[in-house]
Amino acid sequence: MSLVDDTFAPIPASVLSDWGQDITYIKTATPRTYDPTTGNVTGSDINVTVRAFIARISPRESEGLYQTTDIKIIIGSAELGTYYPTEADRLQYTQAGVTREAKILSVNTYRGDAPVLHTIIARPQ
């Protein structure tokens, strides 16, 4: 393990346990197969309950590429292990008593030898 892992890996779990909320991380099954004869798509998604911190994002962030409805989600390494989030995955979370789903727009992973935390920008659908 690197010094980054030893120093920073425990921090996200501590912060998320106090400030986070439970969300469902939906790992898109790959590969999916499509049968053109029947129109069926096979392959199932994997749902994982994780602890995450959700915040609003300013459209000024990242050179104005985001909308005011977009959200920033922080997930620690203890939540997903060595799995790296991708834009094909989705997130479900509760807002004002309503379950919402968001599409991942971008992922920034902070890491040493292994992931420490993931900052995800997502757009509610």
Side-chain angles (χ1 to χ4, degrees):
M1 292 190 81
S2 73
L3 183 59
V4 170
D5 296 325
D6 293 339
T7 305
F8 296 106
I11 295 173
S14 174
V15 172
L16 292 172
S17 69
D18 291 340
W19 297 95
Q21 71 181 63
D22 288 335
I23 67 169
T24 302
Y25 187 92
I26 303 167
K27 296 179 183 179
T28 299
T30 53
R32 289 190 184 257
T33 56
Y34 173 71
D35 182 346
T37 306
T38 62
N40 292 333
V41 177
T42 58
S44 59
D45 295 336
I46 299 169
N47 294 349
V48 180
T49 300
V50 299
R51 196 87 175 145
F53 177 75
I54 300 175
R56 290 280 177 209
I57 188 167
S58 166
R60 291 186 303 268
E61 288 187 59
S62 196
E63 300 169 4
L65 299 176
Y66 299 116
Q67 300 175 2
T68 56
T69 57
D70 292 344
I71 55 176
K72 183 185 298 187
I73 300 169
I74 299 172
I75 300 173
S77 61
E79 308 301 313
L80 293 176
T82 58
Y83 181 79
Y84 286 83
T86 69
E87 286 83 7
D89 299 336
R90 300 178 318 279
L91 303 159
Q92 282 184 344
Y93 60 98
T94 303
Q95 181 183 29
V98 176
T99 300
R100 301 191 184 275
E101 189 166 301
K103 179 183 181 335
I104 295 176
L105 301 177
S106 70
V107 178
N108 192 4
T109 299
Y110 300 92
R111 56 171 288 148
D113 290 334
V116 173
L117 69 89
H118 309 283
T119 300
I120 299 171
I121 306 299
R123 181 163 295 153
Q125 301 298 298

